[in-house]
Amino acid sequence: FDTTGYHIPGFRDETESRKEKLYYLPTVIKPGSEAERVMQQLAVIEKLDIFDELEKKIQSFNPDLLALTVTDSTFLVAITLLREMRRRFKQLPPTIFGGVTCAFMSEVVVRYPEVDIVCTGEGERPLTELCRRIDQRRDYYDIPGLWVRHNGEIIKNRPDPGLTVEELNVLPVPD
Protein backbone atom coordinates (compact mmCIF):
# COMPACT_ATOMS: atom_id res chain seq x y z
CA PHE A 1 0.00 0.00 0.00
CA ASP A 2 1.75 3.12 -1.24
CA THR A 3 0.87 6.33 0.61
CA THR A 4 2.25 8.60 -2.12
CA GLY A 5 -0.24 11.26 -3.14
CA TYR A 6 -2.72 10.80 -0.30
CA HIS A 7 -3.62 13.71 1.91
CA ILE A 8 -3.30 12.62 5.52
CA PRO A 9 -5.39 14.66 7.96
CA GLY A 10 -3.30 16.37 10.60
CA PHE A 11 -0.06 16.29 8.64
CA ARG A 12 1.47 19.32 7.01
CA ASP A 13 2.24 18.13 3.51
CA GLU A 14 2.95 21.40 1.75
CA THR A 15 -0.11 20.74 -0.41
CA GLU A 16 -0.18 24.18 -1.96
CA SER A 17 3.48 23.98 -2.93
CA ARG A 18 2.90 20.50 -4.35
CA LYS A 19 -0.12 21.70 -6.33
CA GLU A 20 1.89 24.58 -7.74
CA LYS A 21 4.57 22.15 -8.91
CA LEU A 22 1.98 19.79 -10.39
CA TYR A 23 0.43 22.72 -12.27
CA TYR A 24 3.59 23.10 -14.36
CA LEU A 25 4.22 19.41 -14.99
CA PRO A 26 1.71 18.99 -17.85
CA THR A 27 3.79 21.42 -19.88
CA VAL A 28 6.75 19.01 -19.86
CA ILE A 29 5.02 15.60 -19.76
CA LYS A 30 4.40 13.90 -23.07
CA PRO A 31 0.79 12.77 -23.74
CA GLY A 32 0.42 9.00 -23.39
CA SER A 33 3.65 8.65 -21.39
CA GLU A 34 4.12 6.74 -18.14
CA ALA A 35 4.56 10.08 -16.38
CA GLU A 36 1.13 11.20 -17.60
CA ARG A 37 -0.43 7.96 -16.33
CA VAL A 38 1.17 8.50 -12.90
CA MET A 39 -0.10 12.09 -12.78
CA GLN A 40 -3.64 10.90 -13.54
CA GLN A 41 -3.44 8.30 -10.76
CA LEU A 42 -2.19 10.91 -8.28
CA ALA A 43 -5.10 13.18 -9.16
CA VAL A 44 -7.54 10.38 -8.29
CA ILE A 45 -5.68 9.24 -5.17
CA GLU A 46 -5.54 12.75 -3.74
CA LYS A 47 -9.35 12.67 -3.40
CA LEU A 48 -9.49 9.35 -1.52
CA ASP A 49 -9.45 8.76 2.23
CA ILE A 50 -6.19 7.01 3.07
CA PHE A 51 -7.62 5.28 6.14
CA ASP A 52 -10.58 3.84 4.22
CA GLU A 53 -8.31 2.71 1.38
CA LEU A 54 -5.91 0.90 3.71
CA GLU A 55 -8.82 -0.71 5.56
CA LYS A 56 -10.15 -2.04 2.23
CA LYS A 57 -6.72 -3.41 1.31
CA ILE A 58 -6.38 -5.22 4.63
CA GLN A 59 -9.91 -6.66 4.37
CA SER A 60 -9.45 -7.85 0.81
CA PHE A 61 -5.93 -9.25 1.20
CA ASN A 62 -6.06 -10.53 4.80
CA PRO A 63 -2.25 -10.38 5.20
CA ASP A 64 -0.19 -12.41 7.68
CA LEU A 65 2.24 -9.49 8.10
CA LEU A 66 2.10 -5.73 7.61
CA ALA A 67 5.51 -4.56 6.41
CA LEU A 68 6.25 -0.85 6.29
CA THR A 69 9.31 0.88 4.92
CA VAL A 70 9.74 4.20 6.70
CA THR A 71 11.97 7.22 6.52
CA ASP A 72 12.17 10.15 8.92
CA SER A 73 9.44 11.95 6.96
CA THR A 74 7.05 8.97 6.74
CA PHE A 75 7.52 7.36 10.15
CA LEU A 76 4.76 9.26 11.96
CA VAL A 77 2.43 8.79 8.98
CA ALA A 78 2.93 5.03 9.31
CA ILE A 79 2.30 5.16 13.07
CA THR A 80 -0.88 7.19 12.49
CA LEU A 81 -2.12 4.71 9.88
CA LEU A 82 -1.51 1.76 12.18
CA ARG A 83 -3.18 3.43 15.15
CA GLU A 84 -6.28 3.97 13.06
CA MET A 85 -6.20 0.39 11.72
CA ARG A 86 -5.90 -0.97 15.26
CA ARG A 87 -8.98 1.07 16.12
CA ARG A 88 -10.88 -0.31 13.11
CA PHE A 89 -9.84 -3.98 13.40
CA LYS A 90 -10.11 -6.28 16.41
CA GLN A 91 -6.85 -7.94 15.43
CA LEU A 92 -4.09 -6.99 13.01
CA PRO A 93 -1.23 -9.18 11.87
CA PRO A 94 2.24 -8.41 13.21
CA THR A 95 3.82 -5.21 11.92
CA ILE A 96 7.43 -4.88 10.84
CA PHE A 97 9.12 -1.55 10.22
CA GLY A 98 12.23 -1.30 8.09
CA GLY A 99 14.19 1.34 6.24
CA VAL A 100 16.89 3.85 6.98
CA THR A 101 15.12 5.31 10.03
CA CYS A 102 14.93 1.86 11.60
CA ALA A 103 18.57 1.14 10.87
CA PHE A 104 19.78 4.31 12.54
CA MET A 105 17.09 4.90 15.17
CA SER A 106 16.00 1.40 16.21
CA GLU A 107 15.77 2.43 19.88
CA VAL A 108 13.26 5.16 19.03
CA VAL A 109 11.19 3.10 16.58
CA VAL A 110 10.81 0.13 18.92
CA ARG A 111 9.29 2.33 21.65
CA TYR A 112 6.07 2.72 19.64
CA PRO A 113 3.54 0.01 20.57
CA GLU A 114 2.27 -0.05 16.98
CA VAL A 115 5.60 -1.58 15.93
CA ASP A 116 5.91 -5.30 16.64
CA ILE A 117 9.18 -5.92 14.79
CA VAL A 118 12.03 -3.63 13.71
CA CYS A 119 14.47 -4.60 10.98
CA THR A 120 17.70 -3.02 12.23
CA GLY A 121 19.72 -3.25 9.01
CA GLU A 122 19.52 -4.75 5.54
CA GLY A 123 16.28 -6.68 5.33
CA GLU A 124 16.64 -9.21 2.52
CA ARG A 125 17.57 -12.15 4.72
CA PRO A 126 15.65 -11.27 7.94
CA LEU A 127 12.41 -10.46 6.10
CA THR A 128 12.62 -13.64 4.02
CA GLU A 129 13.17 -15.74 7.14
CA LEU A 130 10.38 -13.92 8.99
CA CYS A 131 7.91 -14.63 6.17
CA ARG A 132 9.02 -18.27 6.01
CA ARG A 133 8.46 -18.74 9.74
CA ILE A 134 5.11 -16.96 9.75
CA ASP A 135 4.01 -19.17 6.86
CA GLN A 136 5.14 -22.26 8.79
CA ARG A 137 3.48 -20.96 11.99
CA ARG A 138 6.84 -21.00 13.79
CA ASP A 139 8.29 -18.58 16.35
CA TYR A 140 10.39 -15.80 14.87
CA TYR A 141 11.80 -14.19 17.99
CA ASP A 142 15.42 -15.17 17.34
CA ILE A 143 15.97 -13.97 13.75
CA PRO A 144 19.22 -12.01 13.38
CA GLY A 145 18.64 -8.44 12.26
CA LEU A 146 15.24 -8.15 13.93
CA TRP A 147 14.13 -6.68 17.22
CA VAL A 148 10.88 -8.33 18.21
CA ARG A 149 8.22 -7.38 20.75
CA HIS A 150 7.24 -10.54 22.64
CA ASN A 151 5.23 -10.79 25.88
CA GLY A 152 5.85 -7.13 26.69
CA GLU A 153 9.61 -7.43 26.21
CA ILE A 154 11.83 -6.35 23.33
CA ILE A 155 14.10 -9.11 22.09
CA LYS A 156 17.12 -7.48 20.47
CA ASN A 157 18.70 -10.08 18.24
CA ARG A 158 22.23 -9.75 16.92
CA PRO A 159 22.61 -7.84 13.66
CA ASP A 160 22.29 -9.71 10.40
CA PRO A 161 25.67 -9.74 8.66
CA GLY A 162 24.10 -8.61 5.39
CA LEU A 163 24.43 -10.24 2.01
CA THR A 164 27.74 -11.09 0.40
CA VAL A 165 28.62 -9.72 -3.03
CA GLU A 166 27.85 -13.15 -4.48
CA GLU A 167 24.41 -13.18 -2.86
CA LEU A 168 23.70 -9.64 -4.06
CA ASN A 169 24.63 -10.59 -7.61
CA VAL A 170 21.86 -13.20 -7.81
CA LEU A 171 19.10 -10.85 -6.67
CA PRO A 172 16.76 -9.75 -9.45
CA VAL A 173 17.19 -6.23 -10.79
CA PRO A 174 14.39 -4.00 -9.42
CA ASP A 175 11.74 -2.82 -11.89
Side-chain angles (χ1 to χ4, degrees):
F1 184 78
D2 185 357
T3 61
T4 306
Y6 286 94
H7 169 70
I8 302 166
F11 284 88
R12 182 179 171 275
D13 62 359
E14 302 173 357
T15 302
E16 289 309 312
S17 173
R18 186 166 44 117
K19 285 182 180 175
E20 289 170 13
K21 292 173 188 169
L22 293 178
Y23 176 79
Y24 294 105
L25 280 176
T27 63
V28 296
I29 293 177
K30 292 180 183 177
S33 69
E34 178 68 10
E36 181 183 53
R37 186 187 66 74
V38 169
M39 288 296 299
Q40 290 168 348
Q41 286 179 332
L42 286 175
V44 170
I45 286 173
E46 195 169 63
K47 296 176 182 136
L48 300 174
D49 181 296
I50 192 169
F51 300 114
D52 291 343
E53 293 301 308
L54 181 55
E55 180 180 12
K56 289 178 202 171
K57 285 278 189 193
I58 292 171
Q59 287 172 336
S60 68
F61 190 66
N62 192 26
D64 293 322
L65 178 70
L66 292 177
L68 299 96
T69 299
V70 296
T71 62
D72 293 352
S73 63
T74 62
F75 176 74
L76 290 178
V77 171
I79 293 295
T80 301
L81 285 170
L82 286 176
R83 280 183 184 157
E84 180 61 19
M85 291 307 107
R86 288 183 193 258
R87 192 185 69 73
R88 293 182 184 206
F89 290 92
K90 287 183 181 178
Q91 177 125 11
L92 281 179
T95 59
I96 180 171
F97 276 42
V100 68
T101 298
C102 298
F104 291 104
M105 296 176 35
S106 303
E107 292 285 350
V108 173
V109 174
V110 78
R111 288 185 201 148
Y112 285 79
E114 294 80 9
V115 181
D116 299 312
I117 306 164
V118 178
C119 184
T120 60
E122 294 297 327
E124 289 82 6
R125 193 178 341 223
L127 185 58
T128 301
E129 181 62 21
L130 175 64
C131 291
R132 183 178 295 115
R133 291 194 193 183
I134 287 173
D135 186 53
Q136 296 170 348
R137 308 279 187 247
R138 291 177 41 212
D139 286 344
Y140 47 81
Y141 311 112
D142 63 343
I143 299 173
L146 299 181
W147 288 5
V148 184
R149 187 180 311 280
H150 180 63
N151 294 331
E153 300 288 323
I154 305 299
I155 300 169
K156 297 179 180 180
N157 294 302
R158 66 179 168 79
D160 181 80
L163 299 179
T164 65
V165 172
E166 292 78 24
E167 291 170 316
L168 287 171
N169 284 336
V170 298
L171 292 176
V173 177
D175 292 345

